[in-house]
Amino acid sequence: MNERRAARSVEAVFREDRSRLLALLAARFGDLDLAEETASEAVEAALQRWPVDGVPDKPLAWLLTTARRKAVDRIRRDRAFAERLALLQLESDRAAAVVPEPGFDDVPDERLQLFFTCCHPALSPEAQTALVLRFLAGLTTPEVARAFLVPTATMAQRIVRAKRKIRSARIPFRVPGPEELPGRLPSVLRAVYLVFTEGYAASAGDGLLRPDLAEEAVRLARILHRLLPAEREVAGLLALLLLTDARRAARTDAAGRQVLLEDQDRSLWDADLVAEGQRLLVPALTGPGVGPYAVQAAIAALHDEAADMDSTDWPQIVTLYDVLLGIDGSPLVALNRAVAVAMRDGPEEGLALLDGLAGAEELRGYHLLPAARADLLRRLGRTAEAAAAYRAALALVGNEPERATLTRRLTELGRP
């Protein structure tokens, strides 16, 4: 019983505070690999000691202390790290004597500090976001690859190269000053958005949702908004997350099965989150140079305001997607626009647009492209083509609830 209780305690602490533990270790030792390895060693030590000694009053503090000791022992044993240990002590002494710049508030969370560190300009945008998803959000490498729509092996190499770059360039693990924040912000916003996306529709597994990731993304977006209240795109991102997350309770039934937008009980949508998102949307859309998150938030708001699919303002949604395409001309935006055009002008118009995206490299392996085609072909009565498209989507889909939805649609094609 003690072993099972200890194992549950370790699992709970590590699940809830993994990213914070890694952030603290990375900030202390300046090495993501060392942070990850010693965090794992601390967990192994907890599984051995806690059944004997009992679960400590402050489990995270115990794990942090243990991991730090293991990191220092490892550095001392390795001659290659001897110089680094001396530099760490020197940097620690200097940091203690530094007086904060007037008017600059420290970032109020260790994990957010690491968000900005991973988004250092010396790293490519893809590497920045990959590191944030891997080390801050706790996604596995296959899940990060899914978020980027690239093969797992490609993403694994990208993460390794990024960590090597941090070591070789001696990129500091610190909070950026106020003059650096604007340049780092777009990458941080994108990383938070991708964390939410994985929580909104999991790339793999038995569940459609990963509420822990969605809630973590919302929490981080709130911190960013408190830190940078004048940044309109921060408000736009937070509005988008709230307006989208407001539908969470209606997106699955009691058995965990997916409920599509047209079938959702809209009375289950969180009215408080919708209202908060709408309030944030006003400053996000006010003024020149509207950003992509504010535009997406405006689209989400139109969905949230509609009583049902038929009364949704599809013409306005298409117009907003036109604006979004002008800001971010990605195939994924074009796919979403094509679906909106199908709702406004009919399935034939939408299908023509989707077929034009068939060769897009970024959508290769993305199951929602053949799934969207299948739905439009079904509406047009082109049953054989729809069945082939559903099978193509089934070959690519990751999580089980979405697989079950596609399977049900495919089965229904064979019924009178």
Side-chain angles (χ1 to χ4, degrees):
M1 288 296 292
N2 286 339
E3 290 182 3
R4 286 200 295 271
R5 179 172 176 268
R8 286 196 300 270
S9 298
V10 172
E11 180 184 358
V13 172
F14 201 61
R15 184 177 61 250
E16 294 297 325
D17 292 311
R18 173 189 180 277
S19 59
R20 189 177 180 191
L21 179 61
L22 289 175
L24 290 165
L25 291 170
R28 175 64 182 88
F29 297 104
D31 190 312
L32 283 170
D33 281 331
L34 184 63
E36 194 168 30
E37 290 166 6
T38 54
S40 297
E41 291 176 4
V43 169
E44 292 177 7
L47 289 173
Q48 295 174 0
R49 296 306 314 165
W50 292 6
V52 178
D53 301 336
V55 178
D57 293 335
K58 297 180 178 180
L60 177 60
W62 191 99
L63 289 173
L64 178 60
T65 299
T66 303
R68 281 175 171 166
R69 288 172 179 166
K70 290 182 178 295
V72 171
D73 289 343
R74 180 177 296 202
I75 291 173
R76 285 172 174 162
R77 288 196 305 267
D78 193 332
R79 290 184 179 180
F81 286 125
E83 182 181 355
R84 182 182 301 176
L85 186 61
L87 286 172
L88 285 169
Q89 185 60 52
L90 179 62
E91 291 170 359
S92 178
D93 294 342
R94 286 176 178 172
V98 171
V99 178
E101 296 184 37
F104 177 64
D105 295 326
D106 288 339
V107 177
D109 190 284
E110 300 91 342
R111 285 163 285 194
L112 198 55
Q113 294 175 22
L114 189 51
F115 262 94
F116 280 105
T117 300
C118 289
C119 294
H120 192 277
L123 300 170
S124 69
E126 293 80 8
Q128 293 171 3
T129 309
L131 289 176
V132 167
L133 294 175
R134 178 71 185 89
F135 291 100
L136 272 299
L139 272 64
T140 64
T141 300
E143 288 170 340
V144 179
R146 183 72 177 181
F148 278 88
L149 305 178
V150 299
T152 299
T154 300
M155 181 52 63
Q157 293 173 357
R158 188 178 296 174
I159 290 173
V160 168
R161 286 195 298 267
K163 291 189 293 185
R164 189 180 299 134
K165 177 70 172 180
I166 289 175
R167 286 195 298 270
S168 63
R170 292 188 176 180
I171 293 174
F173 286 76
R174 64 176 178 82
V175 179
E179 72 287 348
E180 298 175 279
L181 284 176
R184 305 275 190 93
L185 191 57
S187 296
V188 173
L189 295 181
R190 182 169 183 260
V192 174
Y193 177 69
L194 286 175
V195 173
F196 179 82
T197 300
E198 180 64 23
Y200 179 78
S203 58
D206 296 331
L208 177 68
L209 313 175
R210 291 188 62 180
D212 56 331
L213 291 182
E215 290 166 3
E216 176 72 3
V218 171
R219 190 189 68 80
L220 288 165
R222 288 189 187 280
I223 291 173
L224 273 175
H225 188 247
R226 289 199 299 270
L227 181 68
L228 302 169
E231 292 289 340
R232 291 162 56 203
E233 264 297 77
V234 175
L237 176 65
L238 180 54
L240 172 61
L241 302 194
L242 295 173
L243 291 165
T244 306
D245 199 41
R247 308 175 207 142
R248 188 200 306 176
R251 295 188 60 238
T252 56
D253 63 15
R257 292 182 292 260
Q258 182 183 22
V259 181
L260 298 175
L261 182 62
E262 59 264 32
D263 300 321
Q264 288 177 17
D265 178 358
R266 300 190 177 208
S267 68
L268 296 176
W269 292 1
D270 191 320
D272 291 336
L273 290 184
V274 171
E276 184 181 358
Q278 289 172 330
R279 287 194 298 271
L280 287 163
L281 192 54
V282 175
L285 292 173
T286 302
V290 175
Y293 296 114
V295 177
Q296 292 180 74
I299 294 171
L302 288 173
H303 282 296
D304 288 355
E305 292 165 2
D308 51 41
M309 289 286 283
D310 291 337
S311 62
T312 301
D313 191 346
W314 293 109
Q316 182 64 20
I317 287 177
V318 172
T319 299
L320 288 169
Y321 272 122
D322 290 337
V323 174
L324 189 57
L325 269 178
I327 302 171
D328 174 14
S330 72
L332 189 56
V333 173
L335 187 158
N336 290 327
R337 179 183 179 276
V339 173
V341 168
M343 297 301 298
R344 183 190 68 179
D345 301 333
E348 287 186 355
E349 297 294 328
L351 185 61
L353 295 172
L354 289 179
D355 288 342
L357 297 172
E361 184 65 29
E362 291 122 306
L363 297 179
R364 193 180 302 277
Y366 190 50
H367 74 282
L368 289 182
L369 176 57
R373 288 191 72 253
D375 283 342
L376 296 185
L377 288 165
R378 174 179 57 82
R379 288 167 58 186
L380 289 168
R382 294 159 60 175
T383 305
E385 293 173 86
Y390 279 128
R391 292 189 188 99
L394 281 166
L396 301 173
V397 70
N399 73 59
E400 291 306 316
E402 287 185 291
R403 180 182 301 279
T405 298
L406 292 169
T407 302
R408 186 182 73 249
R409 285 285 176 89
L410 178 59
T411 302
E412 289 170 351
L413 288 178
R415 297 173 183 168

